C-alpha cells in the first residue's frame, strides 16, 4: 500500500481505517526520488522501523539516525519525514499508522487514562526504540508482530495487531515520566504552525505561478520570516521547497503516466520544458526521459 498525501501533506489514510484504525505501509522508499519522502503530518500515531539501511527520520526540527533494527514512535500531528542515508537497496521501512482508538473508544475511561496523556504530552514528539536496548526489547517484538500480522493478514490478525499496539502504548505510558523530555518552545510551536500553513498553500497551488510573497501570506508573516521557518525545518528556502515538490510530482508522473514532458512540465508549474529539464537533471542527475526509461 502506498502512502498518499493530500494537498496539505496529510496522509490520506484508507477509508477502512474507520472500521479498524490501523494502516500499514512498506517499500515506500523504492518509489521515492533519492529515497526521501516529503515532510508531512497526520492526526495519528506512527511507528516506523529501519530494517536494512541507515535512515534519517526527521521529527520537527530534530533529525534521528535509525540503524537497522531501530524503531521510532512519532506522536500525532508532528511534522516528520524520512530519508535513507545508506544501504545498497531501498529499506523496506515497514510503517504502522494508527489511532489510539485501536485500544479503546475516545469517550472511554481507558482512552482518557492511558491514551490521552501520551498524545497530549507536549514534551513527547517521539520515542526511539534502539535495537540494542534491553529496555525496549519486548516493545520491538510487539512492533514486528503487528507488522507481520498487517502484512500477512492471517485469521484474527486484527486481534493480534490490537494486542501488540496496546502493549507498545502501555510501555510508553509506563515510562512517560522517565522518558527524556523534548520540550518545544513557544517560538518553535509557532514556527511549526506557520510552516504547516505555508506548506498547505504551497502544495495546493504548486501547479500555478507561486511567489515567495504568496507563500508568506498564507501564514500572514513577512517573506524573511517565511524564509527562517523553511530554513529551520527543511534546510532550504520556500522557493527551493516549491521546486523540489514540483520535481517530486514530475518524478511520479514520469513513472505513472504517459504524459509528454511538455505536459508534465505544465502540470507541475514549470514555465518552460527546458527549465524543467535543467532542474530535473540538477536534482536527480539524469534527464526526465532517462528516468522514464529506467522506471519502465
Amino acid at each position: 500500500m502506498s502512502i498518499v498525501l493530500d494537498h496539505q501533506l496529510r496522509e490520506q489514510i484508507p477509508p477502512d481505517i474507520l472500521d479498524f484504525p490501523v494502516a500499514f505501509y512498506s517499500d515506500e522508499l523504492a518509489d521515492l526520488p533519492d529515497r526521501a519522502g516529503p515532510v508531512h503530518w497526520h492526526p495519528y500515531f506512527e511507528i516506523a522501523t529501519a530494517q536494512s539501511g541507515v535512515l534519517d527520520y526527521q521529527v520537527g526540527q530534530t533529525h534521528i539516525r535509525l540503524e537497522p533494527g531501530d524503531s521510532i514512535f512519532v506522536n500525532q500531528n508532528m511534522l516528520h519525514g524520512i530519508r535513507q542515508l545508506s544501504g545498497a537497496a531501498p529499506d523496506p521501512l515497514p510503517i504502522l499508522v494508527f489511532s489510539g482508538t485501536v485500544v479503546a473508544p475516545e469517550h472511554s475511561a481507558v482512552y482518557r487514562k492511558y491514551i490521552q496523556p501520551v498524545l497530549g504530552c507536549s514534551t513527547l514528539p517521539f520515542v526511539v526504540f534502539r535495537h540494542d536496548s534491553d529496555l525496549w526489547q519486548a516493545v520491538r517484538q510487539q512492533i514486528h508482530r503487528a507488522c507481520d500480522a498487517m502484512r500477512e493478514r492471517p485469521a484474527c490478525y486484527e486481534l493480534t495487531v490490537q494486542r501488540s499496539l496496546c502493549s507498545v502504548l502501555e510501555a510508553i505510558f509506563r515510562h512517560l515520566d522517565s522518558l527524556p523530555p523534548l520540550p518545544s518552545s513557544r517560538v518553535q510551536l509557532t514556527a511549526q504552525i506557520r510552516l504547516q500553513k505555508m506548506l498547505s498553500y504551497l502544495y495546493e497551488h504548486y501547479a500555478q505561478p507561486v511567489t515567495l510573497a504568496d507563500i508568506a501570506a498564507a501564514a500572514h508573516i513577512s517573506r524573511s520570516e517565511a524564509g527562517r521557518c523553511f530554513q529551520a525545518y527543511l534546510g532550504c528556502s520556500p522557493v527551493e521547497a516549491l521546486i523540489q515538490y514540483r520535481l517530486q510530482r514530475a518524478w511520479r508522473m514520469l513513472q505513472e503516466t504517459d504524459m509528454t514532458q511538455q505536459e508534465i512540465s505544465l502540470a507541475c508549474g514549470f514555465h518552460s520544458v527546458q527549465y524543467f529539464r535543467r532542474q530535473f537533471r540538477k536534482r536527480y542527475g539524469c534527464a526526465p526521459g532517462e528516468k522514464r526509461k529506467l522506471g519502465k
Side-chain angles (χ1 to χ4, degrees), residues 28-29 91 99 104 119 140 206 216 235 238 248 277 289:
E28 294 301 308
L29 292 175
D91 193 292
S99 167
L119 60 86
R140 295 196 310 276
Y206 73 93
Q248 289 170 351
R277 288 169 178 162

Side-chain angles (χ1 to χ4, degrees), residues 6-244:
D6 66 15
H7 68 269
Q8 292 182 316
L9 285 185
R10 289 195 291 259
E11 285 179 17
Q12 292 181 2
I13 307 300
D16 58 3
I17 198 172
L18 298 177
D19 298 321
F20 182 58
V22 183
F24 177 73
Y25 308 96
S26 186
D27 300 313
E28 294 301 308
L29 292 175
D31 295 327
L32 292 171
D34 293 341
R35 299 180 189 173
V39 173
H40 61 281
W41 66 92
H42 48 70
Y44 299 96
F45 297 132
E46 176 168 316
I47 296 177
T49 301
Q51 288 196 329
S52 58
V54 177
L55 308 179
D56 171 40
Y57 219 93
Q58 179 182 354
V59 182
Q61 291 180 259
T62 305
H63 290 261
I64 305 100
R65 184 183 177 93
L66 297 183
E67 303 284 345
D70 292 344
S71 294
I72 186 170
F73 167 89
V74 181
N75 216 334
Q76 68 169 13
N77 289 322
M78 291 301 304
L79 282 167
H80 59 282
I82 179 68
R83 180 168 61 94
Q84 185 167 339
L85 300 178
S86 67
D91 193 292
L93 187 64
I95 298 175
L96 293 161
V97 177
F98 61 100
S99 167
T101 58
V102 72
V103 174
E106 286 187 40
H107 56 76
S108 68
V110 170
Y111 189 94
R112 292 195 301 270
K113 184 175 181 179
Y114 299 109
I115 306 304
Q116 193 68 45
V118 175
L119 60 86
C121 184
S122 61
T123 61
L124 188 74
F126 62 87
V127 182
V128 180
F129 309 118
R130 296 295 181 189
H131 68 277
D132 55 356
S133 169
D134 293 335
L135 175 64
W136 300 118
Q137 181 177 358
V139 171
R140 295 196 310 276
Q141 291 173 350
Q142 295 292 349
I143 292 172
H144 294 322
R145 187 171 293 120
C147 288
D148 289 343
M150 288 296 294
R151 183 185 295 108
E152 299 166 11
R153 302 206 170 193
C156 303
Y157 77 93
E158 296 98 333
L159 296 178
T160 299
V161 173
Q162 184 186 48
R163 285 194 302 271
S164 297
L165 292 179
C166 186
S167 296
V168 173
L169 290 171
E170 178 184 349
I172 293 173
F173 177 82
R174 286 183 178 275
H175 293 89
L176 206 53
D177 293 335
S178 60
L179 290 170
L182 297 166
S184 296
S185 67
R186 184 179 297 275
V187 172
Q188 289 174 319
L189 292 174
T190 299
Q192 177 167 310
I193 293 171
R194 287 172 171 174
L195 182 63
Q196 288 174 322
K197 290 179 179 179
M198 290 186 288
L199 286 174
S200 294
Y201 179 87
L202 187 152
Y203 287 92
E204 183 176 3
H205 297 88
Y206 73 93
Q208 306 165 13
V210 176
T211 66
L212 174 57
D214 294 330
I215 298 172
H220 307 289
I221 57 177
S222 68
R223 289 176 292 180
S224 59
E225 181 59 27
R228 283 191 287 270
C229 288
F230 273 82
Q231 283 293 341
Y233 282 89
L234 303 182
C236 65
S237 71
V239 173
E240 289 170 338
L242 172 62
I243 293 173
Q244 289 176 19

